[in-house]
Amino acid sequence: MKHPALALIVATLIAAPIAGLAAPQAAPAEKASPTELIADLRGETTPAYGYESWKDAMSRTAEGVSIASSKGAQGNGGFCGNLDTPMNLAGMAYVEIALGIGAANEVQEVTVGLCDADGTLATARLRIEAIVPKQAIWLRVPLAAFQPATGEYAGKKPGMDWAKVTQWHCQGDWTTGKPFQAVFIALRARR
């Protein structure tokens, strides 16, 4: 080419697309979901097993697991379920439970429990006395508030292994025999 300026412009136009291909853009990183569902208690899909005073007071509904009966459920009961595969909750900050309280409820606390692969049970208590009856809400408890059990529920190794959660529990307040009436809707973990 006789015109060096024109040669420079042509070389720049040809090189520009090649330069763009030489350094591809990294794909944006996928964000992890802020919540991890532990148990959806609506309908019949999630197996749940009642014990103590809730064993015969538990019924499955489209809204969740209802605890009430003609005999009267008391605070000293619970129900649980096993997870198909262990869940890793080690990176989570909270466990949340969705529930609604019935008008006949006199129990002031519920307990959420989680078990690890070696049988260690860790529990945390949540206050429910201020919940408006028949208004479902999410209650949140920090993972750090869960206390490992002692005795037969201490598991084979000391402490809770949050990377291998295999079972969940929803319980009343075992310090009281007062009437309990509630519907448990779901249990999840939050980052």
Side-chain angles (χ1 to χ4, degrees):
M1 278 191 163
K2 293 183 178 182
H3 299 329
L6 185 58
L8 182 60
I9 292 170
V10 171
T12 304
L13 290 175
I14 292 171
I18 295 171
L21 291 175
Q25 297 293 322
E30 272 190 48
K31 288 186 176 182
S33 173
T35 62
E36 210 46 63
L37 186 65
I38 297 170
D40 182 349
L41 302 171
R42 297 168 294 177
E44 299 285 336
T45 58
T46 301
Y49 313 96
Y51 49 87
E52 299 298 331
S53 73
W54 294 8
K55 185 176 182 180
D56 297 322
M58 185 177 128
S59 62
R60 302 302 299 264
T61 70
E63 290 79 30
V65 174
S66 176
I67 307 296
S69 74
S70 57
K71 294 180 183 178
Q74 299 175 341
N76 58 352
F79 68 100
C80 65
N82 296 318
L83 299 172
D84 291 335
T85 58
M87 288 187 81
N88 183 351
L89 302 183
M92 297 297 182
Y94 304 98
V95 170
E96 298 174 326
I97 186 167
L99 58 86
I101 302 301
N105 180 62
E106 293 181 30
V107 176
Q108 295 184 355
E109 292 182 331
V110 293
T111 301
V112 174
L114 297 166
C115 290
D116 67 15
D118 80 347
T120 301
L121 172 66
T123 61
R125 296 175 78 154
L126 297 114
R127 303 289 297 176
I128 60 170
E129 78 275 3
I131 297 174
V132 175
K134 300 183 182 178
Q135 298 293 317
I137 65 166
W138 283 98
L139 295 173
R140 178 182 292 175
V141 62
L143 215 61
F146 279 79
Q147 298 296 314
T150 57
E152 70 177 288
Y153 299 107
K156 296 173 187 151
K157 297 176 189 170
M160 181 70 178
D161 183 354
W162 291 108
K164 295 178 184 170
V165 175
T166 59
Q167 189 180 62
W168 54 266
H169 291 258
C170 297
Q171 301 171 334
D173 177 358
W174 286 30
T175 65
T176 182
K178 290 184 179 180
F180 184 79
Q181 185 180 41
V183 61
F184 291 88
I185 303 162
L187 194 60
R188 69 185 180 193
R190 177 175 291 278
R191 286 180 178 23

